[in-house]
Amino acid sequence: MSIITILLALPLLGALLIGISAKRPDMAKYIALLASGLVLLGAVYMLGQFDPSVSGYQFEQISPWFPAFCVSFAVGLDSLSLPLFMLTALLCFLVVIYSWNITERAPFYFALLLLLETGVLGVFSALDFFLFYIFWEIVLIPMFFLIGIWGGGRRSYASMKFLIYTHVASLVMVLAIGAMFFKAADVLGHYTFLIPEITAAGFEPGFQMVVFGALLFAFCVKLPVVPLHTWLPDAHVEAPTAASVLLAGVLLKMGGYGLIRVGYIINPEAALAYTPLIVVLALLSIVYGSYAAFTQDDLKKLIAYSSISHMGFVLLGLASLTYEGILGAVYQMVAHGIISAALFMGCGVIQHNCGTRLISCLGGLYGRMPAAMTLLVMAFFASMGIPGFMGFLAEFSVMLGVYHRFGILVLLVALGALLAVGYYLWAFQRVAFGALPGNMQNVRDIHWFELVPMVALLVLALYFGLQPDGMIRYMDRSVHELLGCFTTIGA
């Protein structure tokens, strides 16, 4: 049995134990902390054992599951999925700590967090398309309930919109997967859902064009990409802080990961043909996301629109088909996962202590909440791409790749980055400085269970911004392998 299988089972076991001990709701957070902590320790162990110089998957397990339907329980990690697997384990552990004061239906809440962890870890480690789809769908269920039960005043609307958008995209994705399943059988001579075998099948360009178009739609909804983005701001605004952290930190990365693993690597000729459309969508997301963030009074909605802009960098980096651009795209997924988690946690601290997130109703908080405001401005600096943080290297690498491939279009990318500086400084000046509203004279600073996760995330954002090779060496091979798919077709 692979260690990956054990790590997938641990959160499920934790959720089961929480259900058994439902009469002791105070035990739920301790069980969730233990389960997610063990997963994180296991992920760190795998990181130490992983050999970045080896091509292909490591920690593999391929076992027959439903042989009659050609379905296997197949898991493994390569240099593309390992960083995202690590990111998921880290954020789920920190979210449990951040949620330490949750009392409303606590057992159900922490059980959903653990179920969500299993789903996302499964997406990043599945090597069978049937298994990949099951984990993909599992993720939707806990997020739907987290928003619908612990969300804000419009939680029912936001949770239903999230479910409809993402489920429709999932159905389109599974149709594309089904088409590849049957087409690959014509080439291989046998039916299989195994991703490595279908990847090696090699489809003709006409078939690729149809399948890639469906996959592009499905994964662009998940990223999300303008104009398929409208579910995200509503989901973020109404979601509890922990759900927002996981939504921005790991769920959006499922879209980028799927686009690379299922779209670009299996259908490279179609990906090349779709490049003009992808570039337009990416630039639209970067510029529109930044512009929309400028117009928001709700701090959480501002951060949500900034996520749309930053995911545009991922899409554009992939479209450049250059080493720098693709490396920047993959690095951006991890960087944004860490930084956006810190941003939403900081926003949650303000909401929990001040009772509002509206920028127009805030002011002068630096005097009352110096620790929280210091951490928030550091998160703002990291997200706006200040040198020294991970975000700078990711965005600079994408812009370098865009310049090499598309020349002057890099100016539009730079505009999006410049707007990010503007809206973050605008928001922080109004939240942290000026006159303290009369109804906030007694607000207190950050709690320990909010402080610990934010500090951990910002330390990582700074460390990997100053020592990027510690992460890049794990990503390098996957970037070269993706480029190799396009070298063979003369791209």
Side-chain angles (χ1 to χ4, degrees), residues 6-72:
I6 297 173
L7 297 187
L8 292 176
L10 278 173
L12 289 179
L13 178 61
L16 179 62
L17 289 175
I18 289 174
I20 295 173
S21 61
K23 293 182 179 180
R24 291 283 308 277
D26 56 309
M27 291 295 296
K29 59 187 177 183
Y30 293 102
I31 296 173
L33 184 68
L34 177 62
S36 59
L38 289 174
V39 172
L40 180 58
L41 288 175
V44 171
Y45 170 78
M46 285 198 301
L47 184 68
Q49 297 297 310
F50 189 87
D51 186 352
S53 65
V54 174
S55 180
Y57 297 96
Q58 301 179 42
F59 315 109
E60 274 188 284
Q61 177 184 342
I62 302 178
S63 305
W65 190 16
F66 298 122
F69 296 98
C70 309
V71 175
S72 304

Side-chain angles (χ1 to χ4, degrees), residues 68-116:
F69 296 98
C70 309
V71 175
S72 304
F73 184 88
V75 292
L77 294 173
D78 64 0
S79 57
L80 172 63
S81 52
L82 177 68
L84 297 173
F85 194 94
M86 286 291 305
L87 175 67
T88 303
L90 172 68
L91 291 188
C92 289
F93 176 71
L94 295 180
V95 156
V96 171
I97 298 175
Y98 188 90
S99 305
W100 206 249
N101 67 335
I102 291 292
T103 56
E104 180 189 358
R105 304 176 71 174
F108 191 33
Y109 177 91
F110 286 105
L112 288 173
L113 289 181
L114 293 178
L115 179 60
L116 182 66

Side-chain angles (χ1 to χ4, degrees), residues 45-263:
Y45 170 78
M46 285 198 301
L47 184 68
Q49 297 297 310
F50 189 87
D51 186 352
S53 65
V54 174
S55 180
Y57 297 96
Q58 301 179 42
F59 315 109
E60 274 188 284
Q61 177 184 342
I62 302 178
S63 305
W65 190 16
F66 298 122
F69 296 98
C70 309
V71 175
S72 304
F73 184 88
V75 292
L77 294 173
D78 64 0
S79 57
L80 172 63
S81 52
L82 177 68
L84 297 173
F85 194 94
M86 286 291 305
L87 175 67
T88 303
L90 172 68
L91 291 188
C92 289
F93 176 71
L94 295 180
V95 156
V96 171
I97 298 175
Y98 188 90
S99 305
W100 206 249
N101 67 335
I102 291 292
T103 56
E104 180 189 358
R105 304 176 71 174
F108 191 33
Y109 177 91
F110 286 105
L112 288 173
L113 289 181
L114 293 178
L115 179 60
L116 182 66
E117 180 174 20
T118 290
V120 180
L121 291 176
V123 167
F124 292 140
S125 59
L127 299 184
D128 180 280
F129 269 129
F130 190 88
L131 189 64
F132 176 84
Y133 179 70
I134 288 176
F135 282 125
W136 189 281
E137 289 292 280
I138 286 175
V139 170
L140 305 184
I141 300 169
M143 184 58 68
F144 172 79
F145 284 112
L146 285 168
I147 298 172
I149 297 176
W150 289 272
R154 299 174 71 242
R155 56 184 178 271
S156 296
Y157 167 79
S159 60
M160 190 59 67
K161 189 174 183 178
F162 160 79
L163 185 65
I164 291 172
Y165 267 72
T166 52
H167 186 58
V168 168
S170 298
L171 292 177
V172 173
M173 179 187 73
V174 80
L175 289 175
I177 289 174
M180 290 189 292
F181 169 78
F182 287 108
K183 191 68 174 179
D186 295 337
V187 179
L188 302 173
H190 64 276
Y191 290 104
T192 180
F193 278 107
L194 288 175
I195 294 177
E197 291 193 30
I198 292 179
T199 300
F203 302 125
E204 67 264 20
F207 178 79
Q208 287 189 30
M209 290 294 291
V210 176
V211 169
F212 186 85
L215 294 172
L216 182 63
F217 169 81
F219 296 131
C220 280
V221 171
K222 199 71 173 183
L223 267 172
V225 172
V226 177
L228 304 172
H229 69 288
T230 58
W231 65 270
L232 182 68
D234 290 318
H236 270 311
V237 167
E238 302 304 329
T241 301
S244 287
V245 168
L246 295 178
L247 181 59
V250 293
L251 264 68
L252 304 189
K253 310 310 174 291
M254 289 165 53
Y257 173 78
L259 190 59
I260 297 172
R261 175 76 73 208
V262 188

